[in-house]
Amino acid sequence: MALKIACAQPEIIAGRPDLNTQKILQIIKQAAQSGADILFLPELAVPGYLLGDLWEQTSFLEDCETYGRQIINATADLDLCVVFGNIALDRSKVNEDGRMRKYNAAFAAYKGKALGNGALPYNFIVKHSLPNYREFDDSRYFYSLAQLAAELGTTPAQLTKPVQIQLKGTNINLGIMLCEDGWTDNYHFNVPQALANSGADILCNLSCSPFTLNKNAKRHRLFAAQAKAAALPLVYCNNTGIQNNGKNIFTYDGCSCVYNADGTLMAEAPAYSEEILYTNFDAETKQIAGTPAPLPAMEKTENIYQAIRYGVQKFLQQLGITKMVVGLSGGIDSAVTAALYTDILGAQNVLLVNMPGRYNAELTKNMALQTAQALKTNYMVVPIAESAEYTRTQITATPVTSFANGTEFNLNVSPYVMENIQARDRGARVLAGLAAAFGGAFSCNSNKTEITVGYATFYGDICGLVAPIGDLWKHEVYELGHYLNDKVFKREVIPAEIFAMRPSAELSPEQTVGTGGDPLVYPYHDKLFALFVESWHKASPAGILRHYADGTLPQLLGCQPELIAETFKDTASFIADLERWWKLFCGLSVAKRIQAPPIISISRRAYGYDHREAQLTPYFSLEYQKLKNELLKK
Amino acid sequence: MALKIACAQPEIIAGRPDLNTQKILQIIKQAAQSGADILFLPELAVPGYLLGDLWEQTSFLEDCETYGRQIINATADLDLCVVFGNIALDRSKVNEDGRMRKYNAAFAAYKGKALGNGALPYNFIVKHSLPNYREFDDSRYFYSLAQLAAELGTTPAQLTKPVQIQLKGTNINLGIMLCEDGWTDNYHFNVPQALANSGADILCNLSCSPFTLNKNAKRHRLFAAQAKAAALPLVYCNNTGIQNNGKNIFTYDGCSCVYNADGTLMAEAPAYSEEILYTNFDAETKQIAGTPAPLPAMEKTENIYQAIRYGVQKFLQQLGITKMVVGLSGGIDSAVTAALYTDILGAQNVLLVNMPGRYNAELTKNMALQTAQALKTNYMVVPIAESAEYTRTQITATPVTSFANGTEFNLNVSPYVMENIQARDRGARVLAGLAAAFGGAFSCNSNKTEITVGYATFYGDICGLVAPIGDLWKHEVYELGHYLNDKVFKREVIPAEIFAMRPSAELSPEQTVGTGGDPLVYPYHDKLFALFVESWHKASPAGILRHYADGTLPQLLGCQPELIAETFKDTASFIADLERWWKLFCGLSVAKRIQAPPIISISRRAYGYDHREAQLTPYFSLEYQKLKNELLKK
């Protein structure tokens, strides 16, 4: 008996059960017309997932319930089983915070009814494994199957059974799990195994799983092995769209797919596309019919480009913003950002602004002009030397009265203070003013390397609506720049000189393209900072020094062996550099990130609520201090 | 057999196990010298609690373990049992995120050894109830006793036993729990009851519990009842200091105390003071000796003042900031903020700045001057009319080139855009520049009412180092103003006229003290907005409209019955107002909060990671739409 399986990956809008339900009802119609027998929809397809504490608002929850019933009712006159994710409420119980009991649930609807699995006291399936890492706060909102089992005095295994349904005269056991239930590595109860053991004919995983670089490859390995171990096909259903937690904007690539009982990837939906994936399931042999049709793999920068483009585009659409202003310094970060917005919004909706101050070179001014010309955007030059000077004079010439003793005094503006005055003049004065006058918003062009150590000025350059390249290391910004030239625009919109010159903030006589650039040696610091924030067990100065001492640091960083020796003349300067950036990473840069714009998040750890931070004082561990002393004594 | 119990509430510094251990070792010495038999120290006294994802850094965790051993070793030659909170590691297991197994644990150390309870496979006690609401993310970092029990195939009850110890020849069973273990309302396993049932002689709760308005009263009710139900004394041990999660700065008031077996409050440590509380416990009668000595209760505004003053002071100390600049508009928010900093830092370290623009009245300018004179601070007047005009001219006079077609055009600056240009000129240009020149930071003067609806300008007034009154509703700002005059300065540092005049942003001809003030009717909107964010089940427009329709809204809000009728001429204007602010609350104001400074958090729900938010599109529920239609049809 062949059953036609439909797997949809709609664009889900967080917090809009009305719009999501509308879309789901359309998909149900479409799947029914295509003769599908089972339709899978993603986890929390009705409410969306990243809602913040909107999960606490009863009236919102009740609407999700109502819309869920509409979806169940829509199956009344069809011969289609619809499996979808929604919030489920139990008003007779509370969560551990005392609020209404909420489950992250899967509903299997057929002939107008939601089917249970016979083991749970509900007509829905309850998520067992609640992730509480990175951006996930599941335990904050949902009661888990593990908690429910404990409450009922039973075990998760007793409650984990497939949902039985008769389709075309055949009994099918649907082994339904929700997202993290499939990521079995670190939970002592294995949901897919339990479903297979209790007679599932097919496994399905409803997910709401954001794009992360390299995550799909890991998922393919994991779920293929899972299908193979269970000797059952596995349908992976994930939504598209964007969702955010305030600080992080995540893209959802969907990439729904179907694995056969031997783990073969049989079919895959394209990333960020709302299409429905159809496959045929033979209920007798428990096999997916046909020949495998995986999609070609994408290379890293293509993946990054696709995610950032989709993320920025959808975010601007959500906010109703159609025009953007970008400060264009003549450097790589702003050029890449400008090219991205031009690609997304069209050149006529982008205003690029070069804001030369006292220390900007002709070279970078020309680069800015050339970039704008190549992109065919709107362009203006707004000098800031005069206004920065005005601020300096106003601060230093206006007398301060001390009412304690009736005296007057004047303030000084140091060269360092003047650097930040210029940066803020550009951001909060010019760009913010221009954005409002142009009828749009302005962009934050900061990259992850700068954000790591706060190499940016409050209300100067680390401000704006959104940071499109805020999760890219400097070398990835260059890679994306080449990709934009070669593959997107297919011409040199970012001039070759921009790739060639040494980056510089151009805020002081010492800090120019000609005389000296950023204090960061990007090939080294990019990798070092990635260890700080992206490594699984969070590297610390102690570990880095240990590797430095035994000569394995280049391996750990994945950089050229000679780079470290070339960059640091001796151990003392290596240590001084490490401490300088570590203190900034733990100190002032945290304060800057707290007030930074949201970041399009693509890495396995993006700044924001993905990587949570308190403002602490820098701490050097006992091992670090010991190692440092030993090394400096040598 | 009388045992002397010491309960310490040290100032714990998050992320500094070195400094915390130093302090704990001193306290141990002190308690031993005082002849104490048992010393209680707070939850996570070694690492601190709000560390963000520093909990993932192995080298930090290992240092905490090492320092914990130092504390245990310090008991070797004493006749003192030390009970303290620390992180506990089990390298043979992992958390559900795959990282090293971590428990939020209590150690009972005696004669150089950590004693277990005989039921757990460890020599420490494991926290059962992990809070995952408000600012708490316990499940993100710690494995609970409930999870451990499931993993071991047993129940929490089997693992919950007192720690037995022989002191002065008597066996004492210490019933040790950690913070949330005592907040038993919504957990299906009751830790204190289980401890009492398994033979505890005394209960103790080690906490790391931040100050929240009215929380102590609730705790007294709960824990007194708990002691009474168990017929056992209960020692509540909580730390002092501040800790933050980035967006929220919480104060820890300690307020450690001891309840007798009948629930009587026997002794209490003063708020925000590091002192050690001593009581005598009769092990035979299981009673605390002596007469009850509770501290006098504090009224609300005193509580608020104390918390904000302590929070700001400690936060500035942590950052090493000794000087502050405050923009002084002549209104209540900036006057209260200025008075607070003067109280905290001393007048000579405060620079108040009046920044009149085109629309500022003589009245408010005089009020600013009078406030600075009364506070005896440093003061300057930095006009912004000229600089704002400069920006307007630069924006409108600089031609924009369209490289799409080679044409040029000019931008316009609308009056609304001009309002924000002025605000940003004050914040990001003048105050930020002055702060750097003065050698300090500048303050954010926003209150909770404004923050709720984003009645503030990005990089203008919702910026700065920290928002001292960001968790106060407008009426609470007035109350604090009176308190500062009456109780702190004991003279009129905030002029009476400031309390009397109608608040206004003074950014346009329509928006002046004379012609019209803020669009907020504070006595009404303060209460309405509190429902949005502070009510337990998060009010929604539907609920508010329901109460409006049946005439119970004044009761719900706690405002004068006639206020609503006086404020809104009809139902349509009530609804228009509600929708206006609700859309801002769910929309643009979220974007502003994402980039807002950290807030000194004192309410039961402060903006930041206490109240988590995604940027969503405003949603009106089905019930709301139905009610609205019905009401408007009438």
Side-chain angles (χ1 to χ4, degrees):
Chain A
M1 188 71 253
L3 297 174
K4 189 166 181 178
I5 290 177
C7 174
Q9 51 178 21
E11 181 186 337
I12 296 300
I13 299 169
R16 293 309 297 270
D18 49 344
L19 304 180
N20 295 330
T21 301
Q22 224 169 53
K23 178 163 282 178
I24 289 167
L25 293 175
Q26 280 168 1
I27 291 171
I28 289 174
K29 226 179 252 178
Q30 214 177 315
Q33 280 164 1
S34 302
D37 299 291
I38 313 176
L39 166 65
F40 293 108
L41 288 154
E43 180 185 24
L44 294 173
V46 175
Y49 186 99
L50 290 177
L51 305 181
D53 292 347
L54 180 58
W55 287 119
E56 297 174 4
Q57 195 200 89
T58 307
S59 88
F60 175 79
L61 297 172
E62 290 183 337
D63 270 21
C64 293
E65 216 182 24
T66 302
Y67 283 113
R69 270 196 298 272
Q70 284 186 19
I71 295 168
I72 294 164
N73 292 341
T75 65
D77 303 320
L78 302 173
D79 209 9
L80 174 68
C81 171
V82 176
V83 182
F84 68 100
N86 194 7
I87 188 79
L89 309 175
D90 183 340
R91 288 169 181 73
S92 70
K93 294 180 173 176
V94 293
N95 276 6
E96 288 179 347
D97 66 356
R99 295 189 176 86
M100 194 194 294
R101 174 68 55 87
K102 293 179 280 292
Y103 300 107
N104 182 336
F107 289 82
Y110 188 61
K111 298 285 176 194
K113 278 196 180 140
L115 312 172
N117 69 356
L120 281 158
Y122 300 116
N123 64 349
F124 49 79
I125 298 299
V126 172
K127 187 175 180 179
H128 170 271
S129 304
L130 300 185
N132 293 293
Y133 52 81
R134 294 203 53 193
E135 70 275 17
F136 303 110
D137 276 331
D138 269 35
S139 293
R140 185 173 175 94
Y141 306 115
F142 313 126
Y143 211 73
S144 74
L145 187 74
Q147 287 170 302
L148 179 61
E151 184 184 57
L152 298 174
T154 180
T155 62
Q158 291 298 322
L159 302 176
T160 302
K161 307 287 169 195
V163 173
Q164 201 179 79
I165 180 172
Q166 207 182 51
L167 290 169
K168 293 189 176 163
T170 312
N171 280 329
I172 302 292
N173 289 302
L174 298 175
I176 303 171
M177 58 189 145
L178 283 151
C179 203
E180 186 83 351
D181 287 340
W183 298 82
T184 52
D185 282 1
N186 305 307
Y187 295 87
H188 57 86
F189 175 63
N190 186 315
V191 178
Q193 205 171 74
L195 288 168
N197 291 346
S198 55
D201 296 313
I202 182 169
L203 300 175
C204 61
N205 184 310
L206 312 188
S207 283
C208 176
S209 183
F211 168 79
T212 299
L213 263 178
N214 305 319
K215 195 208 256 178
N216 277 345
K218 192 183 169 190
R219 176 169 52 72
H220 281 321
R221 283 196 302 275
L222 182 74
F223 287 4
Q226 216 161 84
K228 198 175 168 185
L232 295 176
L234 191 157
V235 178
Y236 172 77
C237 179
N238 186 31
N239 62 282
T240 54
I242 59 161
Q243 300 193 32
N244 74 83
N245 60 18
K247 282 292 198 188
N248 300 106
I249 299 160
F250 293 101
T251 68
Y252 293 74
D253 52 351
C255 291
S256 300
C257 58
V258 179
Y259 305 89
N260 216 339
D262 64 352
T264 308
L265 182 62
M266 296 299 286
E268 238 181 324
Y272 302 113
S273 151
E274 287 197 275
E275 74 182 55
I276 306 177
L277 195 65
Y278 290 100
T279 45
N280 288 305
F281 170 61
D282 186 322
E284 277 152 52
T285 62
K286 298 184 187 172
Q287 296 285 331
I288 302 295
T291 49
L295 296 173
M298 251 187 264
E299 58 100 23
K300 179 188 166 194
T301 306
E302 188 179 357
N303 250 321
I304 289 177
Y305 164 72
Q306 204 184 32
I308 294 180
R309 189 189 197 287
Y310 184 83
V312 172
Q313 182 179 41
K314 292 286 171 187
F315 188 63
L316 297 183
Q317 273 174 12
Q318 179 190 316
L319 300 180
I321 287 170
T322 56
K323 293 178 172 196
M324 286 297 290
V325 173
V326 183
L328 198 66
S329 67
I332 187 70
D333 299 317
S334 59
V336 165
T337 307
L340 279 169
Y341 284 111
T342 305
D343 177 36
I344 292 165
L345 295 173
Q348 73 282 9
N349 294 315
V350 175
L351 171 57
L352 305 182
V353 192
N354 183 242
M355 295 168 284
R358 272 186 64 185
Y359 309 105
N360 294 76
E362 285 309 311
L363 172 64
T364 47
K365 287 190 245 184
N366 281 333
M367 288 303 103
L369 174 65
Q370 275 184 39
T371 305
Q373 284 172 329
L375 289 169
K376 301 192 175 72
T377 61
N378 303 295
Y379 183 69
M380 66 200 291
V381 178
V382 179
I384 59 138
E386 192 179 77
S387 50
E389 206 45 58
Y390 179 94
T391 299
R392 184 214 301 261
T393 306
Q394 199 175 29
I395 290 174
T396 54
T398 308
V400 182
T401 306
S402 161
F403 283 129
N405 54 24
T407 58
E408 283 196 351
F409 62 95
N410 283 77
L411 297 169
N412 286 318
V413 168
S414 70
Y416 173 70
V417 169
M418 198 60 196
E419 290 181 29
N420 290 321
I421 285 176
Q422 294 172 81
R424 286 190 298 267
D425 206 65
R426 290 193 174 110
R429 191 181 68 86
V430 178
L431 290 180
L434 286 176
F438 188 57
F442 72 103
S443 180
C444 175
N445 305 345
S446 295
N447 64 55
K448 195 169 191 174
T449 313
E450 293 166 355
I451 293 172
T452 298
V453 290
Y455 188 62
T457 301
F458 265 122
Y459 325 126
D461 45 352
I462 193 155
C463 59
L465 181 79
V466 57
I469 59 167
D471 201 20
L472 296 188
W473 300 105
K474 189 79 171 184
H475 69 277
E476 293 170 328
V477 179
Y478 283 106
E479 287 162 9
L480 182 57
H482 285 300
Y483 185 88
L484 286 161
N485 276 356
D486 300 345
K487 307 284 179 171
V488 179
F489 289 91
K490 297 186 170 65
R491 57 194 172 87
E492 198 180 282
V493 294
I494 304 169
E497 290 95 319
I498 290 184
F499 292 95
M501 72 193 181
R502 181 166 168 192
S504 167
E506 299 191 296
L507 287 167
S508 74
E510 293 74 38
Q511 216 184 49
T512 66
V513 172
T515 56
D518 291 350
L520 293 156
V521 179
Y522 289 105
Y524 168 69
H525 288 110
D526 269 7
K527 306 284 180 164
L528 179 75
F529 297 169
L531 284 185
F532 289 179
V533 60
E534 291 180 2
S535 72
W536 192 247
H537 294 290
K538 290 270 194 288
S540 74
I544 290 157
L545 214 51
R546 208 185 311 124
H547 284 279
Y548 175 79
D550 67 16
T552 57
L553 189 56
Q555 264 167 276
L556 182 72
L557 296 174
C559 72
Q560 299 298 318
E562 57 279 9
L563 180 63
I564 291 163
E566 281 168 15
T567 309
F568 305 106
K569 66 176 194 301
D570 55 21
T571 299
S573 60
F574 175 86
I575 287 176
D577 179 85
L578 178 62
E579 292 193 0
R580 171 186 183 182
W581 299 118
W582 180 257
K583 283 179 189 165
L584 283 168
F585 168 65
C586 305
L588 188 56
S589 74
V590 180
K592 291 182 181 173
R593 288 191 285 272
I594 289 168
Q595 298 191 43
I599 291 172
I600 303 287
S601 302
I602 56 139
S603 76
R604 61 182 186 171
R605 215 64 191 270
Y607 289 112
Y609 305 167
D610 178 358
H611 170 76
R612 300 191 186 167
E613 299 179 290
Q615 280 198 64
L616 305 173
T617 51
Y619 175 74
F620 290 93
S621 68
L622 295 166
E623 185 196 355
Y624 176 79
Q625 292 169 44
K626 188 163 161 280
L627 268 172
K628 178 183 167 183
N629 287 338
E630 284 168 11
L631 281 170
L632 291 180
K633 247 185 253 162
K634 275 184 190 167
Chain B
M1 189 70 256
L3 297 173
K4 187 166 182 178
I5 290 178
C7 175
Q9 50 179 23
E11 181 186 339
I12 296 300
I13 300 169
R16 296 305 300 267
D18 49 343
L19 304 179
N20 295 330
T21 301
Q22 221 169 55
K23 178 164 282 176
I24 289 168
L25 294 176
Q26 280 167 2
I27 292 171
I28 289 174
K29 227 180 251 177
Q30 215 177 316
Q33 280 164 1
S34 302
D37 299 290
I38 311 177
L39 165 65
F40 292 108
L41 288 154
E43 179 186 24
L44 294 173
V46 176
Y49 185 101
L50 290 177
L51 303 182
D53 292 346
L54 180 58
W55 286 120
E56 298 174 3
Q57 197 200 89
T58 307
S59 86
F60 175 79
L61 298 171
E62 292 184 335
D63 270 20
C64 294
E65 215 182 24
T66 302
Y67 283 113
R69 270 195 299 270
Q70 285 186 17
I71 296 168
I72 295 165
N73 292 342
T75 65
D77 303 319
L78 303 173
D79 209 8
L80 173 68
C81 171
V82 176
V83 182
F84 68 100
N86 194 7
I87 188 77
L89 308 176
D90 183 341
R91 288 169 181 74
S92 70
K93 294 179 173 179
V94 293
N95 275 7
E96 289 179 345
D97 66 355
R99 293 187 177 87
M100 195 195 294
R101 174 66 56 85
K102 294 180 279 287
Y103 301 105
N104 182 336
F107 290 80
Y110 188 60
K111 298 285 178 194
K113 281 202 178 135
L115 311 172
N117 69 357
L120 280 159
Y122 300 115
N123 64 348
F124 49 80
I125 298 298
V126 173
K127 188 174 179 179
H128 171 270
S129 304
L130 300 187
N132 293 293
Y133 51 82
R134 293 201 56 192
E135 71 275 17
F136 302 110
D137 277 329
D138 270 35
S139 293
R140 185 174 176 92
Y141 306 116
F142 313 127
Y143 210 74
S144 74
L145 188 73
Q147 287 169 301
L148 179 62
E151 185 184 56
L152 298 174
T154 181
T155 62
Q158 291 300 323
L159 302 176
T160 303
K161 308 285 168 196
V163 173
Q164 201 179 80
I165 179 171
Q166 206 181 52
L167 291 169
K168 291 186 176 166
T170 312
N171 280 328
I172 302 292
N173 289 302
L174 297 175
I176 303 170
M177 58 190 145
L178 283 152
C179 203
E180 185 83 352
D181 287 340
W183 298 82
T184 52
D185 282 359
N186 304 307
Y187 295 86
H188 56 88
F189 176 64
N190 186 315
V191 178
Q193 206 172 70
L195 287 168
N197 291 346
S198 54
D201 296 312
I202 182 168
L203 298 174
C204 61
N205 185 310
L206 312 189
S207 284
C208 175
S209 183
F211 167 79
T212 298
L213 263 177
N214 304 318
K215 195 207 255 179
N216 277 345
K218 193 183 167 192
R219 175 168 54 72
H220 281 321
R221 285 197 301 277
L222 181 75
F223 287 3
Q226 217 161 82
K228 197 174 170 187
L232 295 175
L234 190 156
V235 179
Y236 172 77
C237 179
N238 187 31
N239 61 281
T240 53
I242 60 161
Q243 302 193 30
N244 74 83
N245 60 19
K247 282 293 199 188
N248 301 106
I249 298 159
F250 293 101
T251 67
Y252 292 74
D253 53 352
C255 289
S256 300
C257 59
V258 179
Y259 306 90
N260 216 336
D262 64 353
T264 309
L265 181 62
M266 296 299 287
E268 236 179 326
Y272 302 113
S273 149
E274 288 198 274
E275 75 182 56
I276 305 177
L277 196 65
Y278 290 99
T279 46
N280 287 305
F281 170 62
D282 186 321
E284 275 152 53
T285 63
K286 297 183 188 176
Q287 297 283 332
I288 302 295
T291 49
L295 297 173
M298 251 186 263
E299 58 99 21
K300 180 188 164 192
T301 306
E302 188 179 358
N303 249 321
I304 288 178
Y305 164 72
Q306 204 184 32
I308 294 180
R309 189 191 196 287
Y310 185 82
V312 172
Q313 183 178 41
K314 291 286 173 187
F315 187 62
L316 297 183
Q317 272 174 12
Q318 179 190 315
L319 299 180
I321 287 170
T322 56
K323 294 179 170 195
M324 285 296 290
V325 173
V326 184
L328 198 67
S329 68
I332 187 70
D333 298 317
S334 60
V336 165
T337 306
L340 279 169
Y341 284 111
T342 305
D343 178 37
I344 293 164
L345 295 173
Q348 72 282 10
N349 294 315
V350 175
L351 170 58
L352 305 181
V353 192
N354 184 243
M355 294 168 284
R358 274 186 62 184
Y359 309 105
N360 293 77
E362 285 308 311
L363 172 63
T364 46
K365 287 190 248 184
N366 281 333
M367 287 304 103
L369 174 65
Q370 275 184 41
T371 305
Q373 283 172 329
L375 289 170
K376 301 193 176 72
T377 61
N378 303 297
Y379 183 68
M380 66 198 292
V381 178
V382 180
I384 60 138
E386 192 178 78
S387 49
E389 207 46 58
Y390 180 93
T391 299
R392 186 216 297 263
T393 306
Q394 197 175 31
I395 290 173
T396 54
T398 308
V400 182
T401 306
S402 160
F403 283 128
N405 54 26
T407 58
E408 283 196 350
F409 63 94
N410 283 77
L411 296 169
N412 286 317
V413 168
S414 70
Y416 173 70
V417 170
M418 200 57 198
E419 289 181 28
N420 290 321
I421 285 175
Q422 293 171 81
R424 285 190 299 265
D425 207 65
R426 290 192 174 110
R429 191 180 68 87
V430 179
L431 290 180
L434 286 176
F438 189 56
F442 72 102
S443 179
C444 175
N445 304 344
S446 295
N447 64 55
K448 195 171 190 171
T449 313
E450 294 167 352
I451 293 173
T452 298
V453 291
Y455 189 61
T457 301
F458 265 123
Y459 324 127
D461 45 352
I462 190 153
C463 58
L465 181 79
V466 57
I469 60 167
D471 201 20
L472 296 188
W473 299 106
K474 190 79 172 184
H475 69 276
E476 293 170 329
V477 178
Y478 284 107
E479 287 162 11
L480 182 56
H482 285 299
Y483 185 88
L484 285 161
N485 276 355
D486 301 347
K487 307 285 177 169
V488 179
F489 289 90
K490 297 186 169 68
R491 58 194 172 87
E492 198 180 281
V493 294
I494 304 170
E497 292 95 318
I498 289 184
F499 293 95
M501 72 192 180
R502 180 165 169 196
S504 167
E506 298 191 296
L507 286 167
S508 74
E510 293 75 38
Q511 216 185 50
T512 66
V513 173
T515 57
D518 291 350
L520 293 158
V521 180
Y522 290 105
Y524 169 69
H525 287 111
D526 269 6
K527 305 283 181 165
L528 181 74
F529 297 169
L531 284 185
F532 289 178
V533 60
E534 289 180 4
S535 72
W536 190 248
H537 294 289
K538 291 270 192 290
S540 74
I544 290 157
L545 213 52
R546 208 185 311 126
H547 284 280
Y548 175 80
D550 68 15
T552 56
L553 189 58
Q555 265 168 275
L556 181 72
L557 296 175
C559 71
Q560 298 298 319
E562 56 279 9
L563 179 64
I564 289 163
E566 282 168 14
T567 307
F568 304 105
K569 64 178 196 300
D570 55 21
T571 300
S573 59
F574 175 85
I575 288 176
D577 179 85
L578 178 61
E579 292 192 0
R580 171 186 184 182
W581 299 119
W582 179 257
K583 283 179 189 166
L584 283 167
F585 168 65
C586 305
L588 188 56
S589 73
V590 180
K592 290 180 182 174
R593 289 193 284 272
I594 289 168
Q595 298 190 42
I599 291 171
I600 302 288
S601 302
I602 57 139
S603 75
R604 61 182 183 167
R605 214 67 191 267
Y607 289 111
Y609 307 168
D610 179 357
H611 170 76
R612 300 189 187 170
E613 298 181 291
Q615 279 199 64
L616 305 172
T617 51
Y619 174 75
F620 290 95
S621 69
L622 293 165
E623 184 194 356
Y624 176 80
Q625 292 170 44
K626 189 164 162 281
L627 268 170
K628 177 185 169 183
N629 287 338
E630 284 168 14
L631 281 170
L632 291 180
K633 248 184 253 162
K634 273 183 190 165

